Structure formats: C-alpha cells, structure tokens
Amino acid sequence: MRNVGGKIIICMQFDLKKSIEILTRTPYVIEILLNGINNEWIMNNEGENTWSPFDIIGHLIYGDKTDWIIRMEIILSDSQNKRFTPFDRFAQFEENKGKDIVQLLNEFKVIRKQNIEILESKKINLKDLTKKGIHPVFGEVTLEELLATWTAHDLSHIAQIARVMARQYTNEVGPWKQYLPILEK
Amino acid sequence: MRNVGGKIIICMQFDLKKSIEILTRTPYVIEILLNGINNEWIMNNEGENTWSPFDIIGHLIYGDKTDWIIRMEIILSDSQNKRFTPFDRFAQFEENKGKDIVQLLNEFKVIRKQNIEILESKKINLKDLTKKGIHPVFGEVTLEELLATWTAHDLSHIAQIARVMARQYTNEVGPWKQYLPILEK
C-alpha cells in the first residue's frame, strides 16, 4: 500500500521492467539461501504430498522449460490457435531423479537467463500486453496477466521455500511457536 | 519430513551448525532479493498496519541489536536474574526514519556478522543448550529454544518479504489468482 498525494494505492501496477527485476533475481536468491547448506534443509518437506525446497526448484525449472515463455510466444504469434498446453505440476519428480542441488541451481540460472533474453528480445509494448491466449482452465488471459503471474509465482515459491525450512524447527522453538504464525499448518 | 530407514521424521532436530548456516545467509538472501530493485517493491506493504520489506529488515536489525544475543548472554551468565527485557516489535519505525535500503542492508550484514562471531565464541555445548532464561510472557525457555527461534524467525521473515512483494501483483495476475494461495488474505 502506498500513500500517493493522500491517495491510498493498495497494489502495484504491472510494469515489465519491475517484473524483470524479480525474474532475474529469483535463481540467485534461492542459490544464496540453499547452496552449501545441510541437505536436511533442502530435502525435508512439510509432510506427505508436500514439496521440499528441492522439489520447488524443480517445479520452477520445469515452468521455465515448458510454460511461461512458450505461452508468451503463443500469445505473440500470428497463429489462430492460441490455446496453451496444460502445465504438469508434478513433472519435476521424474525430471530431477538422481540430480543434486548444485545441478538444479545451475540449471535454473541457465534457463532463466535464456528466458529473460527471449523476453527482452520481444520488445514488448503496451499493445502487446493486451494480446490474449487461451488458458486450458480460465479461457482468455492477457500477456500482462501471464507475465505478472510469472513474477508473483516466483515470489510465492521463494516464500514457500523459506516456510518449508522454518517449519523444520516447529518442535524446536518451544513456546515461541505462538509468536511464529508461519509454523501453524 | 524424512523417511529414515522406513521411519518418518516430520521435523529436524535443533543443531547449532545447521542453525548458523541459516543465520549467516539471511542478510545476503535479502540483499540479493532487494538491492537495486525498484523502491515500490521495497516500500509497499499489505495495507494498513502491515509491514513493508523495509520495515521487516528494520525489525530483523533491531532483534540483532537488542534481543537474541543479549538473551543468550543472560542465559549463559552466572547472574541469578535470568529475566529477559521485553522486545519492542515496533522500534524499527523510529530507528529507520531517513535511512535508505542500502544503509539497512549494510547495517544488517554488519550486526549479523558480529553476532555470529559472538555466538561461535561461546563454544556452546549440549549442556549449555539446556540452560534457561525467563521470557516475559512464557516464563522458562531454554537456550536451544531461543536459538531455534532465532533461526525460524529469520526464515519466517524471508517468507514474509517474498509474500508482501507477491501481493503487490494481486490485481495484476487476473484469473491466475486462484492458483496462487499466497495472494489470498
């Protein structure tokens, strides 16, 4: 929320430059947090059918490989078929078998850098941002919504990684648990 | 959760070395995320009486200045008075007036480095971890609980910073909001 000349503004408006600031930083934020750390922080999750930080990075890589940029290209293309392929939220479990965290962090940095280069090469203007694709569930979505979601999705998974890690100490903090709402399921 | 020889372990046990891994990284994680980024990401909050990333860093610095290490020293001291001073959760609003994000990030790196040095200089052993102080609200707490809380508190505020930033795009993601539970209040 911002107070702009006495007017309260709750949220930011989409801005490509500000979004790229986040998208560029995400792999490095995760690398600084996880590189060289004990494997328990990386591999532990929040219980059955939940994701570890390792799984989350796999999910982010898979999104960069198969989702965001490909959907952007569908929206910007001249093709009449604007329908997106559904995204597989569980592909990382097969994709990352046998890999270690260093491989995953490097893979994420490389694919993200390539994707930012593709994104910047499109010289997206305000009119482009209003162009549409067809989401398999929601139907029509704009390029602006896609790019805003990519950005918020990154931040959401950074928050998730930190939360999963914090929760490893749920039993260890004793009575302080009541001051740490993140530890409550 | 870990599967150790067929036995499911939900949480990690406290370990000083593993905790220091987190405590050392926190200022750098936040720096990579926020340094050089548009000020809107840094100064916007989630609405009235909520904290911006800037406020959260101020809170972390104030904890490092007045809380964690001082409470540790009370617990480890020979004094009979083991009572902690209550922590001021809102002091950062006064403390950080007129400062910018670069100053805050540097201040946090410096004080955290000093505090890790003090922590390591204590050569804390398993017996020390069971020693107690008196929390103004909970009563008796152990050194282990204090240090576990310091660690989980860092991770909780990294998650909070990323969440506050993600929510700036709540209106921008369009129908994808339903796939991003972090955007729901």
Side-chain angles (χ1 to χ4, degrees):
Chain A
M1 193 172 79
R2 289 173 299 146
N3 189 323
V4 179
K7 192 183 159 204
I8 300 297
I9 298 184
I10 301 284
C11 292
M12 284 169 62
Q13 285 198 302
F14 177 80
D15 180 288
L16 185 58
K17 189 164 167 286
K18 291 174 199 164
S19 304
I20 290 174
E21 289 174 346
I22 304 296
L23 294 170
T24 311
R25 281 162 172 77
T26 301
Y28 295 94
V29 171
I30 297 175
E31 181 178 48
I32 290 276
L33 181 58
L34 296 180
N35 204 12
I37 211 169
N38 187 284
N39 227 29
E40 278 191 85
W41 291 119
I42 295 164
M43 302 311 288
N44 284 13
N45 61 23
E46 294 171 288
E48 211 169 344
N49 296 322
T50 66
W51 292 1
S52 67
F54 186 86
D55 299 329
I56 296 164
I57 302 166
H59 165 76
L60 289 166
I61 292 170
Y62 198 72
D64 267 46
K65 274 188 188 165
T66 69
D67 188 301
W68 308 107
I69 284 289
I70 289 165
R71 290 179 173 191
M72 176 186 78
E73 287 181 328
I74 291 171
I75 293 174
L76 293 174
S77 77
D78 293 328
S79 159
Q80 289 303 303
N81 181 8
K82 297 289 186 186
R83 197 163 287 278
F84 303 154
T85 305
F87 178 68
D88 182 351
R89 286 181 61 251
F90 302 98
Q92 68 270 19
F93 295 107
E94 203 48 52
E95 292 263 318
N96 298 331
K97 269 189 185 156
K99 291 185 190 167
D100 66 25
I101 184 70
V102 175
Q103 283 173 285
L104 240 57
L105 292 170
N106 286 336
E107 207 177 317
F108 189 27
K109 282 190 290 184
V110 169
I111 182 94
R112 178 55 61 93
K113 186 165 179 290
Q114 286 169 0
N115 281 344
I116 304 268
E117 282 167 11
I118 297 170
L119 176 60
E120 289 181 327
S121 75
K122 299 292 178 186
K123 312 282 181 211
I124 290 166
N125 59 37
L126 289 176
K127 193 181 156 211
D128 292 330
L129 288 174
T130 65
K131 291 180 178 169
K132 288 174 180 158
I134 309 293
H135 186 279
V137 175
F138 317 138
E140 278 194 351
V141 287
T142 65
L143 178 58
E144 180 170 298
E145 287 164 350
L146 177 78
L147 298 176
T149 303
W150 189 8
T151 310
H153 180 265
D154 266 20
L155 291 165
S156 145
H157 284 298
I158 291 172
Q160 184 189 9
I161 288 171
R163 184 192 74 208
V164 174
M165 294 169 76
R167 286 185 176 168
Q168 301 311 315
Y169 267 1
T170 303
N171 296 332
E172 306 305 284
V173 301
W176 268 288
K177 191 177 168 190
Q178 62 198 280
Y179 283 4
L180 292 167
I182 201 169
L183 303 183
E184 305 290 340
K185 300 266 169 175
Chain B
M1 195 173 80
R2 289 172 299 146
N3 189 323
V4 181
K7 192 182 158 205
I8 300 298
I9 298 182
I10 302 284
C11 292
M12 283 168 64
Q13 285 197 302
F14 177 80
D15 180 288
L16 185 57
K17 188 163 168 285
K18 290 175 199 164
S19 303
I20 290 175
E21 288 174 346
I22 304 296
L23 294 170
T24 312
R25 282 165 172 75
T26 302
Y28 295 94
V29 171
I30 297 174
E31 181 178 47
I32 290 278
L33 181 58
L34 295 180
N35 203 11
I37 211 169
N38 188 285
N39 226 29
E40 278 190 85
W41 291 118
I42 295 164
M43 302 310 288
N44 284 12
N45 61 22
E46 296 172 287
E48 212 170 343
N49 296 321
T50 67
W51 293 0
S52 67
F54 185 86
D55 299 329
I56 296 165
I57 302 166
H59 166 75
L60 289 166
I61 292 170
Y62 197 72
D64 266 47
K65 274 187 188 165
T66 69
D67 189 302
W68 309 106
I69 283 289
I70 289 165
R71 290 179 172 191
M72 176 186 78
E73 287 179 330
I74 291 171
I75 293 174
L76 292 174
S77 79
D78 294 330
S79 159
Q80 291 301 304
N81 181 8
K82 298 288 186 187
R83 200 164 285 278
F84 304 154
T85 306
F87 179 69
D88 182 351
R89 287 180 61 252
F90 302 99
Q92 69 271 17
F93 295 107
E94 203 49 51
E95 292 263 318
N96 297 330
K97 269 187 187 160
K99 291 186 189 166
D100 66 25
I101 184 70
V102 175
Q103 283 173 283
L104 241 59
L105 292 170
N106 286 336
E107 209 178 314
F108 189 28
K109 282 189 292 184
V110 169
I111 182 93
R112 178 54 61 94
K113 186 167 180 287
Q114 286 168 1
N115 282 343
I116 303 269
E117 282 166 12
I118 297 170
L119 175 60
E120 289 181 328
S121 75
K122 299 292 178 187
K123 311 281 180 211
I124 290 167
N125 59 35
L126 289 176
K127 193 180 157 214
D128 292 330
L129 288 174
T130 65
K131 292 182 177 167
K132 289 173 178 159
I134 309 293
H135 185 278
V137 176
F138 317 138
E140 278 194 348
V141 287
T142 65
L143 180 58
E144 180 169 298
E145 288 164 349
L146 177 78
L147 297 176
T149 303
W150 190 8
T151 309
H153 180 264
D154 265 21
L155 290 165
S156 144
H157 283 298
I158 291 172
Q160 185 188 10
I161 289 171
R163 184 192 73 209
V164 175
M165 294 169 77
R167 286 184 176 169
Q168 302 310 315
Y169 267 1
T170 303
N171 296 333
E172 305 305 282
V173 301
W176 267 288
K177 191 176 169 191
Q178 61 196 284
Y179 282 7
L180 293 167
I182 201 169
L183 302 183
E184 305 291 340
K185 299 266 167 174

